[in-house]
Amino acid sequence: MLTKRIIACLDVRGGRVVKGIQFVDIIDAGDPAELAHRHAAAGADEIVLLDITATHEGRGTLIDTVKRTAAALFVPFTVGGGIRSAEDAAAVFDAGADKVSINSSAIARPELIGEIGGSFGAQAVIVAIDARRGTLGVEDAEVYVSGGRKPTGLRVVDWAREAEQRGAGEILLTSMNTDGMRNGFDCELTARVSEAVQIPVIASGGAGSAAHFAEVFARGKADAALAASIFHFGVTDSRELKAELQRAGVSVRLPC
């Protein structure tokens, strides 16, 4: 049985970690380096830092924030936001990241996926998909960009397939409908994407309990699951979450 990964996410704006509900109602959650270290020490398998306003503001990633956060970590570290070229990716890797996550820039220029993968390996390229269900639900779920501000007209499953074909190593799928609600992941949409591609799919949006993680690993067929607010605000930590998942029969890497 493959081990399922638990990932802690840091949404960063202006050098601070923030968290919202359905991409709005943003509140401060703390310092990225401090939170990253805390979550890693508690047993998170990976840390993802997303500079959520870089694309909207037309700027690059906050490299100083990446460096400071990377220095506090001993687990794989992914950075996204404002990465528009292989050179931008190189700067983020030089700052200490192990992987990059690209979203709006991959939609604008899909060949960027292969350019980064060609230089640094497919395992270092995550394509993030912000998805919102349409009137038909999962059938017409649409890809959004610019921090969830702009619809693209692309269907989520179609774009996930293309991202894989162009060399993505993983898909980070965030359901905008469930984000921040703590009522559970969108298992139906996650399963649809997981069935459509051969690369790992990371589920994001809606984590509120260990049962939600167990459900998205089983019914949603996710390879990993990402959460933010439940870790930042003390609802649980990765150590406690993994213990509960193990009791539920989910294979996870237990922290030392």
Side-chain angles (χ1 to χ4, degrees), residues 3 43 45 238-239 241-246 252-256:
T3 299
D45 295 302
S238 294
R239 186 181 304 275
L241 172 61
K242 286 182 172 182
E244 291 189 57
L245 288 172
Q246 187 182 51
V252 291
R253 183 187 64 80
L254 295 177
C256 299

Side-chain angles (χ1 to χ4, degrees), residues 9-28:
C9 183
L10 311 174
D11 290 331
V12 173
R13 183 174 70 177
R16 296 285 294 178
V17 177
V18 297
K19 191 68 190 89
I21 297 174
Q22 296 181 320
F23 285 42
V24 294
D25 299 330
I26 304 295
I27 61 174
D28 185 85

Side-chain angles (χ1 to χ4, degrees), residues 6 16-17 29 43 63 74 76 78 103 143 154 169 171 176 184 189 196 199 201-202 205 225 238:
I6 303 299
R16 296 285 294 178
V17 177
I63 294 297
F74 49 88
T78 297
N103 186 341
V143 178
L154 288 171
I171 299 292
M176 295 175 64
L189 181 59
I199 56 177
V201 173
I202 304 165
S238 294

Side-chain angles (χ1 to χ4, degrees), residues 19-109:
K19 191 68 190 89
I21 297 174
Q22 296 181 320
F23 285 42
V24 294
D25 299 330
I26 304 295
I27 61 174
D28 185 85
D31 176 76
E34 292 176 6
L35 286 173
H37 179 75
R38 188 177 85 195
H39 297 333
D45 295 302
E46 300 182 23
I47 301 293
V48 171
L49 184 153
L50 301 176
D51 187 343
I52 61 173
T53 58
T55 296
H56 180 64
E57 294 172 0
R59 59 170 174 79
T61 310
L62 297 171
I63 294 297
D64 288 345
T65 300
V66 173
K67 286 181 179 178
R68 196 163 56 85
T69 304
L73 288 178
F74 49 88
V75 298
F77 181 36
T78 297
V79 173
I83 298 169
R84 301 180 183 87
S85 66
E87 290 75 20
D88 289 341
V92 170
F93 288 129
D94 287 344
D98 301 289
K99 307 177 189 178
V100 294
S101 172
I102 53 176
N103 186 341
S104 301
S105 58
I107 295 286
R109 202 167 63 83

